Amino acid sequence: MFEPGHLHIAQPALQPDDIGYDIHIRYETAQTDAGAGMHFTLEGEINGKPVNEVFDLPKDKAYNFASEASHIAEKYGLPKDVDLHDMHGDYDAMFEDIRDKLDMKSGDAVKPEHLE
């Protein structure tokens, strides 16, 4: 479920071997080491294990929030084959909200060191 500044992703474990998760991604504009950007908080639980991590992304990398969130979720036990990106409508709305908050336009420059 998406609302500006917050995305909630949940999947209950329906079978004993399933991995359940209940994750909140909150975000706001912030000054990062590289200038304007976004500050993200990822909290909730993955398979009963609490998650509480923060990360910052500069403006030209803020579009990559889903990849960063997925890497963090994997650290807490979410298997790589579970696709948090599968909520395309909500991710699209979050992406557009981030673009709006950071006044990002198609064709904005990306720093070469951020392409790695």
Side-chain angles (χ1 to χ4, degrees):
M1 179 177 84
F2 169 79
E3 61 185 41
H6 176 230
L7 177 64
H8 180 216
I9 306 166
Q11 176 66 48
L14 301 175
Q15 300 293 323
D17 293 338
D18 289 349
I19 303 288
Y21 53 88
D22 188 353
I23 300 169
H24 295 267
I25 303 172
R26 292 181 173 83
Y27 59 94
E28 61 190 359
T29 56
Q31 278 301 114
T32 70
D33 293 340
M38 298 299 292
H39 175 77
F40 295 86
T41 302
L42 189 128
E43 60 189 357
E45 69 163 38
I46 296 173
N47 220 30
K49 183 177 181 181
V51 176
N52 191 348
E53 296 247 355
V54 298
F55 61 97
D56 294 324
L57 293 174
K59 179 178 179 175
D60 65 338
K61 286 186 73 175
Y63 65 88
N64 206 22
F65 67 88
S67 176
E68 187 71 26
S70 291
H71 286 106
I72 291 169
E74 288 169 13
K75 269 185 7 184
Y76 286 86
L78 193 70
K80 288 184 181 193
D81 64 345
V82 174
D83 188 7
L84 289 181
H85 303 88
D86 204 21
M87 300 181 61
H88 293 294
D90 287 332
Y91 273 117
D92 291 346
M94 185 172 166
F95 180 78
E96 287 304 318
D97 187 44
I98 289 170
R99 283 176 47 110
D100 183 56
K101 287 179 180 345
L102 291 174
D103 194 30
M104 297 167 66
K105 307 282 188 263
S106 293
D108 282 353
V110 175
K111 292 182 181 179
E113 61 268 22
H114 291 168
L115 294 175
E116 298 175 4

